[in-house]
Amino acid sequence: MRVHQYEKAFLWLGAIMLVVFMVALVITSVAASMHLPGRAGEVDPLTINSVEPFDNPGVREVAPGRYEVVLLASAWVFNPAEIRVPAGSEVTFLAAATDVIHGLHITGTRVNMMLIPGQISRNTYRFEEPGEHILVCHEYCGAGHHLMSGKVIVE
Ligand code: CUA
């Protein structure tokens, strides 16, 4: 069997690409410690409304320029639906679902999480520019899924 020279070149190209991607993966995850937003804890969805900090959803300033948003997703609302923070602030989102699986994407940012009942999702983002970002639920969660939204207003 004779392997055509171009075929050989493509095989090599494929092998080299695999090595390059593996190296890039190791560099970003180990050296630059970039990770997917992981589970930050567990919470019982049946009693979530009386468990700290989810008994008091909202925006809190935890240090100068640093905010924490405790956010609950239920069919078909985000609580709070409107989040206001000053420009330049670093915001940590602690989010959980109370009923079914929801999603949370904040447009124009890299904040993109799944909200799974029983799990706490955490993500931190710095809002540099004033403006508005839409909170979008990106997991189908029932008849009102397309109505489920909110916004972050950066002042
Ligand atoms: Cu909540 Cu879709």
Side-chain angles (χ1 to χ4, degrees):
M1 193 181 79
R2 189 171 160 270
V3 181
H4 195 279
Q5 57 170 333
Y6 291 134
E7 201 174 354
K8 216 181 226 177
F10 273 112
L11 285 173
W12 271 110
L13 188 69
I16 291 166
M17 297 282 270
L18 277 179
V19 172
V20 168
F21 292 151
M22 281 305 292
V23 169
L25 197 68
V26 170
I27 289 172
T28 50
S29 65
V30 178
S33 62
M34 290 181 193
H35 301 285
L36 284 171
R39 68 165 41 191
E42 288 178 6
V43 61
D44 184 349
L46 294 177
T47 56
I48 190 168
N49 290 312
S50 55
V51 174
E52 278 228 12
F54 296 103
D55 55 347
N56 189 15
V59 188
R60 270 175 283 284
E61 187 169 15
V62 289
R66 289 179 57 197
Y67 292 81
E68 183 181 82
V69 175
V70 175
L71 190 135
L72 283 179
S74 351
W76 295 284
V77 286
F78 287 115
N79 178 17
E82 189 180 293
I83 295 159
R84 284 176 184 271
V85 289
S89 46
E90 187 180 276
V91 184
T92 297
F93 294 87
L94 268 181
T98 63
D99 39 33
V100 295
I101 296 177
H102 297 277
L104 174 62
H105 173 56
I106 304 177
T107 57
T109 75
R110 56 166 173 70
V111 177
N112 190 341
M113 304 187 275
M114 277 185 80
L115 309 179
I116 300 166
Q119 175 180 315
I120 301 170
S121 301
R122 185 204 303 267
N123 207 328
T124 300
Y125 186 79
R126 182 181 292 276
F127 291 90
E128 301 285 4
E129 305 289 329
E132 275 193 24
H133 302 267
I134 310 289
L135 296 180
V136 188
C137 176
H138 59 59
E139 289 290 334
Y140 182 72
C141 55
H145 164 69
H146 62 291
L147 301 172
M148 191 167 168
S149 73
K151 57 184 158 184
V152 177
I153 299 165
V154 185
E155 298 175 317

